[in-house]
Amino acid sequence: MKIGLVISGGDVSGMNNFIFQINRMTDSEIVIFDGGISGLINNTAKEISRRDLVDLSISSVPLIASGRKEEKCRKSDYEKIIKNIRQKKIDCLVMGGGDGSFQFLKVLSEYGINCYGIGMTIDNDITGSSYSIGFSTACEQVISEVAKLRNTGRGLPGRVFMVELLGGYCGELTLQAALKSNADIALIPEAVWDIDELTAKIRTKIDQQNSVIILCSEGYTKEYTPGFQGAIDTMIGKIEHKIGIRIRKTIMGYGLRNGTPTGEEIIQGAILAEEVVRCINSGLTNKIIVINNNNKAIPVDLNNSDKRLVDKESNFYKLAKANNLI
C-alpha cells in the first residue's frame, strides 16, 4: 500500500511523529507532498525512508513542509491533484490541518480519492475533538515562558506582564495554557472581562505577589482578523493608566508552533494514527479522525468539519472560572 501525506496550514510540532506512527503501524510506503494543497497541485512528492522517520520522529526539525493556499481550488486544480495522485499510485491521502483543509478534502473525495483528515493546529479548535496535534507542545512553550517571567518578576518585584498567544477566534490555547502555567488571568474571546473588574483584579494581585502574568488570546479584541497580531497593545492601552504600572508585553507568535514534542503529543499522535490505519484497513473512507472527551479516536464524516470555540461546559472552563482566571 502507498499512503500520501500532506500538511495544510501552519506547521506544528508532532507532525513527524504522526507520519512515523502511520508508517510503523502499516509498514506502507509513505509519499509526502511538501507545501500543502499547492504541493499536491505542483506534485512536490517525495518518498521518505523508515530510517529518517525513526531518527526524526520526536525531533522538532520538520520532515514535511506545510503551506497555505489563499484562493479556493478551481476545477483545474483538482484535476491536477487527481492526476498526480493516480500517477504515483497512491491508495489514500491523509491530510493534517484545520477546518479549511477538511473542506478541501470533502471536495477531493467527491472525485473518487480516499481521504482522511487529522486535526493539526495549535488552536485546538476542531469540532468534536478534544485534542489536535501540536496543542500540547504549544502549551509547553507557554509554560516555559511564564516560568521565566515569574523568575524575573521575583528578581524585580511589582511587574505586570501580558503575553499574547496565537489561537485565532478560539481561546482554547490561552485558557489551557493559563491553567497549566499557573498564570493569573486569561483573556479569551469567549469570556470578555469588564475593564474595571480586570484592573481591580490586577491591583489586588500585585499587592499579594511579586508579579502578575496575563495571557491574552490574539482574537480577544474586536479588531482581530487572521494574521493580525497586537491585541495586547489595545488591552495595555485600556489598562495601564488605570493600574498606574507599566505593563511589559511579550508576543508569542510562530515559535509556538515548534518545539520538542511532549509525551502527550507523541501519545495523542499514536492514538490518531492507529484509528487512521484501522479505517484504511477496514475500507472506511473519507473521514476526519477526532479524539473525544474519553480520549478515544473516532471517525466522523468530512461533512461535519467545522471550527469550534471554547466549550463553556467543559471541565477546563469551569476550573478556570473556579480559579478566577476568566
Short mmCIF file of all heavy atoms in Angstrom, two decimals, residues 125-176:
data_model
loop_
_atom_site.label_atom_id
_atom_site.label_comp_id
_atom_site.label_asym_id
_atom_site.label_seq_id
_atom_site.Cartn_x
_atom_site.Cartn_y
_atom_site.Cartn_z
N ASP A 125 -9.12 23.78 17.75
CA ASP A 125 -10.47 24.30 17.53
C ASP A 125 -11.28 23.47 16.52
O ASP A 125 -12.09 24.01 15.76
CB ASP A 125 -10.40 25.77 17.05
CG ASP A 125 -9.65 25.92 15.73
OD1 ASP A 125 -9.03 24.94 15.27
OD2 ASP A 125 -9.68 27.04 15.15
N ILE A 126 -11.06 22.15 16.52
CA ILE A 126 -11.79 21.26 15.63
C ILE A 126 -13.04 20.76 16.33
O ILE A 126 -12.97 20.21 17.44
CB ILE A 126 -10.92 20.05 15.21
CG1 ILE A 126 -9.58 20.53 14.62
CG2 ILE A 126 -11.69 19.17 14.23
CD1 ILE A 126 -9.70 21.36 13.39
N THR A 127 -14.20 20.94 15.71
CA THR A 127 -15.46 20.50 16.30
C THR A 127 -15.44 19.00 16.57
O THR A 127 -15.03 18.21 15.72
CB THR A 127 -16.63 20.83 15.37
OG1 THR A 127 -16.77 22.25 15.30
CG2 THR A 127 -17.94 20.24 15.88
N GLY A 128 -15.88 18.62 17.76
CA GLY A 128 -15.97 17.21 18.12
C GLY A 128 -14.67 16.61 18.61
O GLY A 128 -14.64 15.43 18.98
N SER A 129 -13.60 17.38 18.63
CA SER A 129 -12.30 16.85 19.03
C SER A 129 -11.78 17.59 20.25
O SER A 129 -11.82 18.83 20.31
CB SER A 129 -11.29 16.97 17.89
OG SER A 129 -10.12 16.23 18.16
N SER A 130 -11.28 16.83 21.22
CA SER A 130 -10.73 17.46 22.42
C SER A 130 -9.24 17.75 22.28
O SER A 130 -8.66 18.40 23.15
CB SER A 130 -10.95 16.55 23.64
OG SER A 130 -10.25 15.31 23.47
N TYR A 131 -8.64 17.26 21.17
CA TYR A 131 -7.20 17.45 21.00
C TYR A 131 -6.84 17.50 19.54
O TYR A 131 -7.36 16.75 18.72
CB TYR A 131 -6.41 16.31 21.67
CG TYR A 131 -4.92 16.59 21.71
CD1 TYR A 131 -4.39 17.35 22.73
CD2 TYR A 131 -4.08 16.16 20.69
CE1 TYR A 131 -3.05 17.67 22.76
CE2 TYR A 131 -2.73 16.46 20.71
CZ TYR A 131 -2.22 17.22 21.74
OH TYR A 131 -0.89 17.55 21.77
N SER A 132 -5.92 18.41 19.19
CA SER A 132 -5.34 18.44 17.85
C SER A 132 -3.82 18.45 17.97
O SER A 132 -3.26 19.02 18.92
CB SER A 132 -5.83 19.65 17.05
OG SER A 132 -5.48 20.86 17.68
N ILE A 133 -3.16 17.79 17.03
CA ILE A 133 -1.71 17.65 17.10
C ILE A 133 -1.04 19.03 17.09
O ILE A 133 -1.39 19.90 16.29
CB ILE A 133 -1.21 16.79 15.92
CG1 ILE A 133 -1.71 15.35 16.10
CG2 ILE A 133 0.31 16.81 15.84
CD1 ILE A 133 -1.38 14.42 14.96
N GLY A 134 -0.09 19.21 17.98
CA GLY A 134 0.60 20.49 18.13
C GLY A 134 0.20 21.25 19.37
O GLY A 134 0.95 22.11 19.85
N PHE A 135 -0.96 20.91 19.94
CA PHE A 135 -1.52 21.69 21.04
C PHE A 135 -0.71 21.56 22.32
O PHE A 135 -0.38 22.55 22.98
CB PHE A 135 -2.97 21.28 21.28
CG PHE A 135 -3.66 22.08 22.35
CD1 PHE A 135 -3.98 23.41 22.15
CD2 PHE A 135 -3.98 21.51 23.57
CE1 PHE A 135 -4.62 24.15 23.13
CE2 PHE A 135 -4.62 22.23 24.56
CZ PHE A 135 -4.93 23.56 24.34
N SER A 136 -0.37 20.34 22.70
CA SER A 136 0.35 20.12 23.95
C SER A 136 1.71 20.81 23.94
O SER A 136 2.11 21.44 24.93
CB SER A 136 0.55 18.61 24.19
OG SER A 136 1.39 18.39 25.30
N THR A 137 2.42 20.71 22.81
CA THR A 137 3.75 21.33 22.73
C THR A 137 3.65 22.84 22.77
O THR A 137 4.51 23.51 23.37
CB THR A 137 4.48 20.86 21.46
OG1 THR A 137 4.48 19.43 21.43
CG2 THR A 137 5.91 21.36 21.44
N ALA A 138 2.60 23.39 22.17
CA ALA A 138 2.40 24.84 22.24
C ALA A 138 2.16 25.28 23.69
O ALA A 138 2.71 26.29 24.15
CB ALA A 138 1.22 25.26 21.36
N CYS A 139 1.36 24.51 24.42
CA CYS A 139 1.13 24.82 25.84
C CYS A 139 2.44 24.76 26.62
O CYS A 139 2.68 25.60 27.50
CB CYS A 139 0.13 23.83 26.45
SG CYS A 139 -1.59 24.10 25.95
N GLU A 140 3.27 23.79 26.29
CA GLU A 140 4.55 23.65 26.99
C GLU A 140 5.45 24.87 26.75
O GLU A 140 6.18 25.30 27.65
CB GLU A 140 5.25 22.38 26.51
CG GLU A 140 6.33 21.87 27.44
CD GLU A 140 5.77 21.31 28.74
OE1 GLU A 140 4.60 20.89 28.76
OE2 GLU A 140 6.51 21.29 29.74
N GLN A 141 5.39 25.43 25.55
CA GLN A 141 6.16 26.63 25.24
C GLN A 141 5.71 27.79 26.13
O GLN A 141 6.52 28.60 26.60
CB GLN A 141 5.99 27.02 23.77
CG GLN A 141 6.42 25.96 22.76
CD GLN A 141 7.91 25.87 22.62
OE1 GLN A 141 8.60 25.44 23.54
NE2 GLN A 141 8.43 26.28 21.50
N VAL A 142 4.40 27.87 26.35
CA VAL A 142 3.86 28.94 27.20
C VAL A 142 4.29 28.73 28.65
O VAL A 142 4.66 29.68 29.35
CB VAL A 142 2.33 29.01 27.10
CG1 VAL A 142 1.79 30.14 27.99
CG2 VAL A 142 1.88 29.22 25.66
N ILE A 143 4.23 27.49 29.12
CA ILE A 143 4.65 27.19 30.49
C ILE A 143 6.09 27.66 30.72
O ILE A 143 6.42 28.28 31.74
CB ILE A 143 4.53 25.69 30.78
CG1 ILE A 143 3.06 25.26 30.76
CG2 ILE A 143 5.15 25.34 32.14
CD1 ILE A 143 2.85 23.75 30.79
N SER A 144 6.95 27.37 29.75
CA SER A 144 8.36 27.78 29.85
C SER A 144 8.50 29.29 29.91
O SER A 144 9.27 29.83 30.71
CB SER A 144 9.14 27.22 28.66
OG SER A 144 10.47 27.66 28.68
N GLU A 145 7.74 30.00 29.08
CA GLU A 145 7.82 31.47 29.05
C GLU A 145 7.31 32.07 30.36
O GLU A 145 7.92 32.99 30.91
CB GLU A 145 7.00 32.00 27.88
CG GLU A 145 7.04 33.51 27.69
CD GLU A 145 8.41 34.02 27.28
OE1 GLU A 145 9.23 33.21 26.79
OE2 GLU A 145 8.66 35.24 27.43
N VAL A 146 6.20 31.55 30.86
CA VAL A 146 5.64 32.06 32.12
C VAL A 146 6.63 31.84 33.27
O VAL A 146 6.81 32.71 34.12
CB VAL A 146 4.27 31.41 32.43
CG1 VAL A 146 3.82 31.75 33.85
CG2 VAL A 146 3.23 31.88 31.42
N ALA A 147 7.28 30.68 33.28
CA ALA A 147 8.26 30.39 34.34
C ALA A 147 9.39 31.42 34.33
O ALA A 147 9.84 31.89 35.38
CB ALA A 147 8.82 28.98 34.16
N LYS A 148 9.85 31.80 33.14
CA LYS A 148 10.92 32.79 33.04
C LYS A 148 10.44 34.17 33.50
O LYS A 148 11.18 34.91 34.17
CB LYS A 148 11.43 32.85 31.59
CG LYS A 148 12.26 31.64 31.20
CD LYS A 148 12.84 31.75 29.80
CE LYS A 148 11.82 31.50 28.74
NZ LYS A 148 12.41 31.43 27.38
N LEU A 149 9.20 34.49 33.18
CA LEU A 149 8.67 35.78 33.60
C LEU A 149 8.48 35.81 35.13
O LEU A 149 8.71 36.85 35.76
CB LEU A 149 7.34 36.07 32.90
CG LEU A 149 7.44 36.31 31.39
CD1 LEU A 149 6.04 36.47 30.79
CD2 LEU A 149 8.29 37.54 31.07
N ARG A 150 8.08 34.70 35.71
CA ARG A 150 7.96 34.63 37.17
C ARG A 150 9.31 34.89 37.82
O ARG A 150 9.42 35.60 38.83
CB ARG A 150 7.44 33.26 37.60
CG ARG A 150 5.99 33.01 37.33
CD ARG A 150 5.07 33.84 38.19
NE ARG A 150 3.69 33.41 38.05
CZ ARG A 150 2.64 34.19 38.23
NH1 ARG A 150 2.82 35.46 38.58
NH2 ARG A 150 1.43 33.73 38.08
N ASN A 151 10.35 34.31 37.24
CA ASN A 151 11.69 34.49 37.80
C ASN A 151 12.14 35.94 37.75
O ASN A 151 12.68 36.48 38.72
CB ASN A 151 12.70 33.62 37.06
CG ASN A 151 12.53 32.14 37.38
OD1 ASN A 151 11.91 31.79 38.39
ND2 ASN A 151 13.07 31.28 36.54
N THR A 152 11.90 36.59 36.60
CA THR A 152 12.33 38.00 36.50
C THR A 152 11.44 38.88 37.38
O THR A 152 11.91 39.90 37.92
CB THR A 152 12.34 38.48 35.04
OG1 THR A 152 13.04 39.71 34.96
CG2 THR A 152 10.95 38.68 34.49
N GLY A 153 10.19 38.48 37.58
CA GLY A 153 9.31 39.22 38.48
C GLY A 153 9.72 39.07 39.93
O GLY A 153 9.52 39.97 40.75
N ARG A 154 10.31 37.94 40.25
CA ARG A 154 10.80 37.74 41.62
C ARG A 154 12.08 38.55 41.83
O ARG A 154 12.33 39.06 42.93
CB ARG A 154 11.07 36.25 41.86
CG ARG A 154 11.44 35.91 43.29
CD ARG A 154 11.52 34.41 43.50
NE ARG A 154 11.90 34.09 44.87
CZ ARG A 154 11.07 34.02 45.90
NH1 ARG A 154 9.78 34.26 45.70
NH2 ARG A 154 11.48 33.72 47.11
N GLY A 155 12.89 38.65 40.77
CA GLY A 155 14.12 39.43 40.87
C GLY A 155 13.86 40.92 40.97
O GLY A 155 14.64 41.66 41.57
N LEU A 156 12.78 41.37 40.37
CA LEU A 156 12.40 42.78 40.43
C LEU A 156 10.89 42.85 40.64
O LEU A 156 10.11 42.94 39.68
CB LEU A 156 12.81 43.50 39.14
CG LEU A 156 12.69 45.02 39.13
CD1 LEU A 156 13.57 45.64 40.22
CD2 LEU A 156 13.10 45.57 37.77
N PRO A 157 10.45 42.76 41.91
CA PRO A 157 9.01 42.65 42.21
C PRO A 157 8.21 43.87 41.74
O PRO A 157 8.75 44.96 41.56
CB PRO A 157 8.99 42.55 43.74
CG PRO A 157 10.36 42.08 44.12
CD PRO A 157 11.28 42.69 43.11
N GLY A 158 6.92 43.62 41.54
CA GLY A 158 5.99 44.69 41.19
C GLY A 158 5.69 44.78 39.71
O GLY A 158 5.05 45.74 39.27
N ARG A 159 6.11 43.79 38.95
CA ARG A 159 5.92 43.85 37.50
C ARG A 159 4.62 43.17 37.06
O ARG A 159 4.17 42.19 37.66
CB ARG A 159 7.10 43.20 36.78
CG ARG A 159 8.37 44.02 36.89
CD ARG A 159 9.42 43.56 35.92
NE ARG A 159 10.53 44.52 35.88
CZ ARG A 159 11.56 44.42 35.05
NH1 ARG A 159 11.64 43.41 34.19
NH2 ARG A 159 12.52 45.33 35.06
N VAL A 160 4.05 43.73 36.02
CA VAL A 160 2.87 43.15 35.37
C VAL A 160 3.27 42.77 33.95
O VAL A 160 3.78 43.60 33.20
CB VAL A 160 1.68 44.15 35.35
CG1 VAL A 160 0.49 43.54 34.60
CG2 VAL A 160 1.28 44.55 36.76
N PHE A 161 3.04 41.51 33.60
CA PHE A 161 3.40 41.00 32.28
C PHE A 161 2.12 40.61 31.53
O PHE A 161 1.21 40.01 32.12
CB PHE A 161 4.30 39.77 32.39
CG PHE A 161 5.58 40.00 33.13
CD1 PHE A 161 5.70 39.61 34.46
CD2 PHE A 161 6.67 40.59 32.52
CE1 PHE A 161 6.89 39.80 35.16
CE2 PHE A 161 7.86 40.79 33.20
CZ PHE A 161 7.97 40.39 34.53
N MET A 162 2.09 40.92 30.24
CA MET A 162 1.00 40.43 29.40
C MET A 162 1.61 39.72 28.20
O MET A 162 2.50 40.24 27.54
CB MET A 162 0.09 41.58 28.93
CG MET A 162 -1.18 41.08 28.22
SD MET A 162 -2.31 42.41 27.71
CE MET A 162 -2.90 42.99 29.30
N VAL A 163 1.13 38.51 27.96
CA VAL A 163 1.67 37.65 26.91
C VAL A 163 0.56 37.33 25.92
O VAL A 163 -0.49 36.80 26.30
CB VAL A 163 2.23 36.33 27.49
CG1 VAL A 163 2.87 35.49 26.38
CG2 VAL A 163 3.23 36.61 28.61
N GLU A 164 0.79 37.68 24.65
CA GLU A 164 -0.19 37.36 23.61
C GLU A 164 0.14 36.02 22.97
O GLU A 164 1.28 35.75 22.60
CB GLU A 164 -0.20 38.45 22.53
CG GLU A 164 -1.21 38.18 21.42
CD GLU A 164 -1.24 39.31 20.39
OE1 GLU A 164 -1.35 40.47 20.81
OE2 GLU A 164 -1.17 39.01 19.18
N LEU A 165 -0.91 35.19 22.82
CA LEU A 165 -0.76 33.87 22.22
C LEU A 165 -1.56 33.77 20.93
O LEU A 165 -2.52 34.52 20.72
CB LEU A 165 -1.25 32.78 23.18
CG LEU A 165 -0.69 32.79 24.60
CD1 LEU A 165 -1.25 31.60 25.37
CD2 LEU A 165 0.83 32.74 24.59
N LEU A 166 -1.17 32.85 20.08
CA LEU A 166 -1.97 32.54 18.90
C LEU A 166 -3.25 31.82 19.33
O LEU A 166 -3.48 31.58 20.50
CB LEU A 166 -1.16 31.68 17.93
CG LEU A 166 0.14 32.29 17.37
CD1 LEU A 166 0.81 31.29 16.42
CD2 LEU A 166 -0.13 33.60 16.65
N GLY A 167 -4.09 31.48 18.36
CA GLY A 167 -5.33 30.77 18.69
C GLY A 167 -6.50 31.18 17.83
O GLY A 167 -7.56 30.56 17.89
N GLY A 168 -6.34 32.26 17.06
CA GLY A 168 -7.44 32.71 16.22
C GLY A 168 -8.62 33.16 17.05
O GLY A 168 -8.47 33.80 18.09
N TYR A 169 -9.81 32.81 16.58
CA TYR A 169 -11.03 33.23 17.27
C TYR A 169 -11.36 32.34 18.46
O TYR A 169 -12.30 32.62 19.21
CB TYR A 169 -12.21 33.20 16.28
CG TYR A 169 -12.09 34.22 15.18
CD1 TYR A 169 -11.67 33.85 13.91
CD2 TYR A 169 -12.40 35.56 15.42
CE1 TYR A 169 -11.56 34.78 12.89
CE2 TYR A 169 -12.29 36.50 14.40
CZ TYR A 169 -11.87 36.11 13.14
OH TYR A 169 -11.76 37.04 12.13
N CYS A 170 -10.61 31.26 18.64
CA CYS A 170 -10.85 30.32 19.74
C CYS A 170 -9.83 30.54 20.85
O CYS A 170 -8.64 30.63 20.60
CB CYS A 170 -10.76 28.88 19.22
SG CYS A 170 -10.97 27.61 20.48
N GLY A 171 -10.31 30.59 22.09
CA GLY A 171 -9.42 30.86 23.22
C GLY A 171 -8.90 29.63 23.93
O GLY A 171 -8.36 29.73 25.03
N GLU A 172 -9.03 28.44 23.31
CA GLU A 172 -8.66 27.20 23.98
C GLU A 172 -7.18 27.17 24.38
O GLU A 172 -6.83 26.74 25.48
CB GLU A 172 -8.97 26.00 23.07
CG GLU A 172 -8.89 24.65 23.76
CD GLU A 172 -10.06 24.41 24.70
OE1 GLU A 172 -11.20 24.77 24.36
OE2 GLU A 172 -9.81 23.86 25.80
N LEU A 173 -6.30 27.61 23.49
CA LEU A 173 -4.87 27.61 23.80
C LEU A 173 -4.58 28.51 24.99
O LEU A 173 -3.86 28.11 25.92
CB LEU A 173 -4.06 28.06 22.58
CG LEU A 173 -2.55 28.21 22.79
CD1 LEU A 173 -1.92 26.89 23.20
CD2 LEU A 173 -1.88 28.78 21.54
N THR A 174 -5.12 29.70 25.00
CA THR A 174 -4.90 30.63 26.11
C THR A 174 -5.48 30.10 27.40
O THR A 174 -4.86 30.18 28.47
CB THR A 174 -5.51 32.00 25.78
OG1 THR A 174 -4.89 32.52 24.59
CG2 THR A 174 -5.31 32.99 26.91
N LEU A 175 -6.68 29.53 27.33
CA LEU A 175 -7.35 29.01 28.53
C LEU A 175 -6.54 27.88 29.17
O LEU A 175 -6.22 27.94 30.37
CB LEU A 175 -8.74 28.50 28.15
CG LEU A 175 -9.56 27.91 29.30
CD1 LEU A 175 -10.07 29.02 30.21
CD2 LEU A 175 -10.71 27.07 28.78
N GLN A 176 -6.21 26.87 28.36
CA GLN A 176 -5.49 25.72 28.94
C GLN A 176 -4.05 26.08 29.32
O GLN A 176 -3.54 25.59 30.32
CB GLN A 176 -5.52 24.54 27.97
CG GLN A 176 -6.89 23.91 27.83
CD GLN A 176 -6.81 22.51 27.29
OE1 GLN A 176 -5.90 21.74 27.59
NE2 GLN A 176 -7.79 22.13 26.48
#
